[in-house]
PDB file of all heavy atoms in Angstrom:
ATOM      1  N   THR A  17      57.803 -70.822 -71.476  1.00 80.00           N
ATOM      2  CA  THR A  17      58.658 -70.932 -70.358  1.00 80.00           C
ATOM      3  C   THR A  17      59.900 -69.977 -70.599  1.00 80.00           C
ATOM      4  O   THR A  17      60.146 -69.481 -71.731  1.00 80.00           O
ATOM      5  CB  THR A  17      59.188 -72.302 -70.095  1.00 80.00           C
ATOM      6  OG1 THR A  17      59.924 -72.834 -71.309  1.00 80.00           O
ATOM      7  CG2 THR A  17      58.001 -73.280 -69.855  1.00 80.00           C
ATOM      8  N   THR A  23      74.536 -66.929 -68.898  1.00 90.00           N
ATOM      9  CA  THR A  23      74.563 -65.481 -69.192  1.00 90.00           C
ATOM     10  C   THR A  23      75.701 -65.112 -69.966  1.00 90.00           C
ATOM     11  O   THR A  23      76.953 -65.302 -69.470  1.00 90.00           O
ATOM     12  CB  THR A  23      74.474 -64.719 -67.877  1.00 90.00           C
ATOM     13  OG1 THR A  23      73.304 -65.075 -67.144  1.00 90.00           O
ATOM     14  CG2 THR A  23      74.427 -63.214 -68.107  1.00 90.00           C
ATOM     15  N   ALA A  81      40.189 -36.679 -86.255  1.00 90.00           N
ATOM     16  CA  ALA A  81      40.531 -36.114 -87.554  1.00 90.00           C
ATOM     17  C   ALA A  81      41.399 -37.182 -88.335  1.00 90.00           C
ATOM     18  O   ALA A  81      41.176 -37.397 -89.532  1.00 90.00           O
ATOM     19  CB  ALA A  81      41.398 -34.848 -87.497  1.00 90.00           C
ATOM     20  N   THR A  97      36.477 -39.507-107.875  1.00 72.00           N
ATOM     21  CA  THR A  97      35.679 -38.550-108.601  1.00 72.00           C
ATOM     22  C   THR A  97      35.990 -37.181-108.120  1.00 72.00           C
ATOM     23  O   THR A  97      36.659 -36.980-107.078  1.00 72.00           O
ATOM     24  CB  THR A  97      34.201 -38.841-108.541  1.00 72.00           C
ATOM     25  OG1 THR A  97      33.826 -38.787-107.105  1.00 72.00           O
ATOM     26  CG2 THR A  97      33.883 -40.237-109.088  1.00 72.00           C
ATOM     27  N   GLY A 102      35.671 -33.288-101.724  1.00 79.00           N
ATOM     28  CA  GLY A 102      34.707 -32.714-100.728  1.00 79.00           C
ATOM     29  C   GLY A 102      34.340 -33.713 -99.653  1.00 79.00           C
ATOM     30  O   GLY A 102      34.205 -33.396 -98.521  1.00 79.00           O
ATOM     31  N   ILE A 103      34.195 -34.916-100.121  1.00 80.00           N
ATOM     32  CA  ILE A 103      33.836 -36.034 -99.169  1.00 80.00           C
ATOM     33  C   ILE A 103      35.035 -36.217 -98.154  1.00 80.00           C
ATOM     34  O   ILE A 103      34.787 -36.500 -96.950  1.00 80.00           O
ATOM     35  CB  ILE A 103      33.467 -37.308 -99.864  1.00 80.00           C
ATOM     36  CG1 ILE A 103      32.187 -37.136-100.723  1.00 80.00           C
ATOM     37  CG2 ILE A 103      33.282 -38.483 -98.910  1.00 80.00           C
ATOM     38  CD1 ILE A 103      31.815 -38.262-101.527  1.00 80.00           C
ATOM     39  N   SER A 106      34.890 -33.415 -95.608  1.00 85.00           N
ATOM     40  CA  SER A 106      33.769 -33.628 -94.638  1.00 85.00           C
ATOM     41  C   SER A 106      34.132 -34.792 -93.728  1.00 85.00           C
ATOM     42  O   SER A 106      33.772 -34.685 -92.491  1.00 85.00           O
ATOM     43  CB  SER A 106      32.578 -33.950 -95.511  1.00 85.00           C
ATOM     44  OG  SER A 106      32.229 -32.912 -96.353  1.00 85.00           O
ATOM     45  N   ILE A 110      33.982 -34.232 -89.719  1.00 89.00           N
ATOM     46  CA  ILE A 110      33.079 -35.143 -88.931  1.00 89.00           C
ATOM     47  C   ILE A 110      33.854 -35.915 -87.894  1.00 89.00           C
ATOM     48  O   ILE A 110      33.435 -36.107 -86.758  1.00 89.00           O
ATOM     49  CB  ILE A 110      32.222 -35.988 -89.842  1.00 89.00           C
ATOM     50  CG1 ILE A 110      31.310 -35.161 -90.719  1.00 89.00           C
ATOM     51  CG2 ILE A 110      31.411 -37.021 -89.039  1.00 89.00           C
ATOM     52  CD1 ILE A 110      30.566 -35.898 -91.799  1.00 89.00           C
ATOM     53  N   GLY A 115      35.386 -37.016 -82.389  1.00 89.00           N
ATOM     54  CA  GLY A 115      36.509 -37.287 -81.429  1.00 89.00           C
ATOM     55  C   GLY A 115      36.487 -36.262 -80.311  1.00 89.00           C
ATOM     56  O   GLY A 115      36.658 -36.610 -79.200  1.00 89.00           O
ATOM     57  N   ALA A 125      33.606 -37.394 -67.082  1.00 81.00           N
ATOM     58  CA  ALA A 125      33.299 -38.555 -66.313  1.00 81.00           C
ATOM     59  C   ALA A 125      34.462 -38.889 -65.284  1.00 81.00           C
ATOM     60  O   ALA A 125      34.258 -39.393 -64.172  1.00 81.00           O
ATOM     61  CB  ALA A 125      32.941 -39.766 -67.040  1.00 81.00           C
ATOM     62  N   ARG A 156      80.825 -64.514 -75.911  1.00 90.00           N
ATOM     63  CA  ARG A 156      81.564 -63.664 -75.013  1.00 90.00           C
ATOM     64  C   ARG A 156      82.760 -63.150 -75.699  1.00 90.00           C
ATOM     65  O   ARG A 156      83.251 -62.014 -75.505  1.00 90.00           O
ATOM     66  CB  ARG A 156      81.955 -64.493 -73.762  1.00 90.00           C
ATOM     67  CG  ARG A 156      80.814 -64.761 -72.807  1.00 90.00           C
ATOM     68  CD  ARG A 156      81.336 -65.608 -71.691  1.00 90.00           C
ATOM     69  NE  ARG A 156      80.174 -65.772 -70.700  1.00 90.00           N
ATOM     70  CZ  ARG A 156      80.271 -66.608 -69.643  1.00 90.00           C
ATOM     71  NH1 ARG A 156      81.427 -67.267 -69.468  1.00 90.00           N
ATOM     72  NH2 ARG A 156      79.223 -66.726 -68.796  1.00 90.00           N
ATOM     73  N   THR A 161      83.576 -60.041 -73.495  1.00 79.00           N
ATOM     74  CA  THR A 161      83.332 -60.268 -72.118  1.00 79.00           C
ATOM     75  C   THR A 161      83.820 -61.695 -71.696  1.00 79.00           C
ATOM     76  O   THR A 161      83.216 -62.304 -70.920  1.00 79.00           O
ATOM     77  CB  THR A 161      81.795 -60.146 -71.790  1.00 79.00           C
ATOM     78  OG1 THR A 161      81.103 -61.019 -72.666  1.00 79.00           O
ATOM     79  CG2 THR A 161      81.357 -58.776 -72.104  1.00 79.00           C
ATOM     80  N   PRO A 183     109.662 -75.797 -45.910  1.00 56.00           N
ATOM     81  CA  PRO A 183     110.192 -77.200 -46.231  1.00 56.00           C
ATOM     82  C   PRO A 183     110.858 -77.731 -44.945  1.00 56.00           C
ATOM     83  O   PRO A 183     111.489 -77.035 -44.233  1.00 56.00           O
ATOM     84  CB  PRO A 183     111.155 -76.988 -47.400  1.00 56.00           C
ATOM     85  CG  PRO A 183     111.592 -75.583 -47.224  1.00 56.00           C
ATOM     86  CD  PRO A 183     110.469 -74.837 -46.737  1.00 56.00           C
ATOM     87  N   ASP A 195     112.690 -65.967 -39.322  1.00 50.00           N
ATOM     88  CA  ASP A 195     112.115 -65.726 -38.047  1.00 50.00           C
ATOM     89  C   ASP A 195     111.718 -67.072 -37.337  1.00 50.00           C
ATOM     90  O   ASP A 195     111.046 -67.038 -36.253  1.00 50.00           O
ATOM     91  CB  ASP A 195     110.864 -64.863 -38.194  1.00 50.00           C
ATOM     92  CG  ASP A 195     111.237 -63.459 -38.678  1.00 50.00           C
ATOM     93  OD1 ASP A 195     112.334 -63.094 -38.508  1.00 50.00           O
ATOM     94  OD2 ASP A 195     110.311 -62.775 -39.270  1.00 50.00           O
ATOM     95  N   GLN A 218     125.890-115.149  -8.995  1.00 72.00           N
ATOM     96  CA  GLN A 218     126.653-116.172  -8.109  1.00 72.00           C
ATOM     97  C   GLN A 218     128.002-115.656  -7.785  1.00 72.00           C
ATOM     98  O   GLN A 218     128.366-115.816  -6.555  1.00 72.00           O
ATOM     99  CB  GLN A 218     126.736-117.505  -8.962  1.00 72.00           C
ATOM    100  CG  GLN A 218     125.395-118.155  -9.175  1.00 72.00           C
ATOM    101  CD  GLN A 218     124.823-118.663  -7.932  1.00 72.00           C
ATOM    102  OE1 GLN A 218     125.489-118.990  -6.913  1.00 72.00           O
ATOM    103  NE2 GLN A 218     123.447-118.770  -7.839  1.00 72.00           N
TER     104      GLN A 218
END
Side-chain angles (χ1 to χ4, degrees):
T17 59
T23 302
T97 60
I103 296 175
S106 301
I110 293 173
R156 289 176 176 174
T161 58
D195 297 336
Q218 293 293 331

